[in-house]
Amino acid sequence: MCIIAKSEWFDFCPGTFMGCFITFAADGNWSVLAISLVIGAFLGLSCEYGGNWLYQAVTEKKRM
């Protein structure tokens, strides 16, 4: 994982670690693996956009 993290596509080390962890935890069950990765991607995106929205909502009210 540390060697592949030098690649531009895999430079997010926590994401690489979680993908590896999910792969071993699924014990070869690819349907569970695919569902887990998709849910994780949606959760990550919702946290990113939700955090940005919350930050903008809080900082705009302080300026007024």
Side-chain angles (χ1 to χ4, degrees):
M1 285 188 318
C2 294
I3 294 171
I4 201 170
K6 294 183 188 266
S7 170
E8 185 178 335
W9 282 32
F10 301 104
D11 63 348
F12 183 62
C13 287
T16 306
F17 173 77
M18 290 304 295
C20 182
F21 176 76
I22 291 170
T23 302
F24 285 112
D27 196 31
N29 189 349
W30 289 100
S31 60
V32 171
L33 174 66
I35 292 169
S36 299
L37 290 175
V38 169
I39 290 172
F42 281 123
L43 184 63
L45 285 172
S46 66
C47 288
E48 174 73 22
Y49 289 120
N52 287 338
W53 174 80
L54 183 63
Y55 175 75
Q56 289 176 356
V58 170
T59 56
E60 286 180 6
K61 289 182 178 181
K62 285 185 178 181
R63 290 183 198 164
M64 293 181 164

